[in-house]
Amino acid sequence: DAMQGTSGFLVLLFLAETSGFCPTSARVSLLSSVGVASCTSNSASLTPPRRLFRPATPLNTCAQLEVVSAGNELRQAQAGTLDLLVRDLGLQQEDAPFSLPLSDGLQGTVQSWTGGDVSWCSTLDIVGTAFSQSKLTVWNGPLVGVPHFRSSITLAPDSVRLLIDFCPRGDAGYEQVLPDGSFQEPDSRAMFMQRSMRTEFEELFFTEEARGWFARASSGGAPAVPRQLCEGPLKLDVTLPPTPASVAHATAACAEAARLYGGWMGAAERFGQVKSQLAFAHDCKVRAMISSAHTAELVSMFGPAGRELAAAHGGPRDITDRGSAMSNAAKDNLGAGEAGNA
């Protein structure tokens, strides 16, 4: 029985390695946890995710995930990713963590940070015995054009859901993508502007490196088709089997995505007045859309307490409330610039 358990574990480890998300140091830790020696040295420079949990029985894709144990390891891994962003982006924690008891014995906790070119960074952890979720959202200020960063990992006994998105800072028309991945030839000024913006975003952010990350994170799958203005071309939304390997894969994908985002922020050029106002106006729309969807989701799950939790995670309301005035200012500035060039 012990030999069968070790064999099953090694099969899962092999799947995690072939997916591209099992660093050498993590493999050494996992192998040692089941008493198997490794001849490979630990040469990784980053701190590896910790072992999820010691299986009491041989693991297989039909088994249910031990949500409590896996949830603890999930939050530890996500905390490491957050620490990296806080350090590199120079963030300072806002108020003390906000916690709220939820239905079915769940507990929700929100923590937030601001600083530098980040207008709001927030984590949301929902913890329970049969459900666990960890969200990380980073909203950028309007002086840089780097996409916003959103990630979420949800654990249930029968599944692991991974969602990551880099939200573009302008209306590039990604929701108009055709089934074959192409776009209609532009026939209006607005469509020409959207095509130009997509080209710029691909050169700066959605590069071959970013697409390589997506290929590894999705195990070769296709990006989720953008349905709304707030969604990017590399949106990842996958449901994985309820295994420790899936949790390790999800946390590693989030960590690599955060490193991509941090690199973009470190190299970002500053916007001028008109571009920053246009970015702010667009951001207000995007934040309102995402806040509305997130509030509806949490209210459907937890009632009024869900609304409080969504508000805490979404950040100060004034950022959205000022959207109308900023949109008008951006239009006025754009119009003045066009008139001056006429």
Side-chain angles (χ1 to χ4, degrees):
D1 290 342
M3 181 62 68
Q4 291 177 353
T6 299
S7 300
F9 187 87
L10 290 174
V11 169
L12 286 174
L13 180 58
F14 172 78
L15 292 175
E17 286 183 290
T18 55
S19 72
F21 285 113
C22 188
T24 302
S25 53
R27 177 176 55 191
V28 172
S29 174
L30 289 167
L31 289 172
S32 63
S33 71
V34 293
V36 179
S38 172
C39 61
T40 307
S41 62
N42 180 357
S43 58
S45 58
L46 296 174
T47 302
R50 300 179 184 177
R51 178 172 54 88
L52 290 172
F53 54 81
R54 185 182 302 277
T57 58
L59 296 174
N60 58 72
T61 56
C62 297
Q64 290 194 330
L65 188 69
E66 296 179 21
V67 173
V68 174
S69 299
N72 290 336
E73 299 296 340
L74 164 62
R75 285 181 290 279
Q76 290 177 4
Q78 293 293 77
T81 298
L82 176 65
D83 288 345
L84 182 70
L85 291 178
V86 168
R87 182 196 68 198
D88 290 350
L89 301 180
L91 304 182
Q92 300 294 324
Q93 188 160 9
E94 290 286 298
D95 299 330
F98 171 75
S99 293
L100 195 65
L102 306 171
S103 57
D104 299 323
L106 296 168
Q107 183 80 16
T109 301
V110 173
Q111 299 185 75
S112 55
W113 295 258
T114 58
D117 288 316
V118 172
S119 64
W120 188 256
C121 171
S122 179
T123 60
L124 168 60
D125 290 304
I126 300 176
V127 182
T129 58
F131 180 90
S132 186
Q133 186 178 78
S134 180
K135 287 181 177 287
L136 169 61
T137 302
V138 190
W139 298 109
N140 302 325
L143 294 181
V144 293
V146 175
H148 306 298
F149 176 57
R150 302 174 61 229
S151 71
S152 174
I153 301 176
T154 304
L155 308 182
D158 60 350
S159 65
V160 175
R161 184 184 179 191
L162 169 64
L163 192 154
I164 300 174
D165 197 10
F166 302 107
C167 306
R169 304 297 298 284
D171 181 6
Y174 285 114
E175 70 277 9
Q176 301 169 21
V177 65
L178 300 175
D180 63 356
S182 65
F183 291 86
Q184 178 183 336
E185 284 298 314
D187 57 8
S188 67
R189 179 172 180 271
M191 292 181 68
F192 274 105
M193 292 178 65
Q194 289 176 332
R195 184 174 71 175
S196 176
M197 191 174 293
R198 288 194 299 270
T199 300
E200 180 181 0
F201 289 165
E202 288 176 7
E203 292 175 352
L204 293 174
F205 310 116
F206 306 127
T207 60
E208 287 301 315
E209 180 186 14
R211 293 183 181 279
W213 159 80
F214 183 90
R216 292 186 294 276
S218 66
S219 299
V225 177
R227 300 296 184 188
Q228 302 183 73
L229 179 71
C230 57
E231 298 176 338
L234 294 183
K235 180 180 179 181
L236 176 67
D237 188 355
V238 295
T239 300
L240 306 170
T243 66
S246 293
V247 181
H249 178 97
T251 56
C254 283
E256 187 177 352
R259 285 193 290 272
L260 270 176
Y261 164 78
W264 297 338
M265 289 293 281
E269 295 184 0
R270 312 291 284 181
F271 273 169
Q273 181 182 18
V274 173
K275 276 194 171 184
S276 65
Q277 289 179 324
L278 289 171
F280 191 98
H282 180 79
D283 288 350
C284 289
K285 296 177 186 178
V286 168
R287 291 189 65 164
M289 293 175 69
I290 291 176
S291 175
S292 177
H294 192 213
T295 299
E297 175 190 1
L298 292 183
V299 167
S300 70
M301 296 172 65
F302 307 118
R307 187 179 303 278
E308 290 187 60
L309 212 56
H313 182 59
R317 289 289 307 219
D318 68 303
I319 295 177
T320 299
D321 294 340
R322 284 155 42 202
S324 178
M326 290 301 297
S327 294
N328 292 333
K331 290 177 182 177
D332 291 342
N333 274 277
L334 182 60
E338 291 175 343
N341 294 328

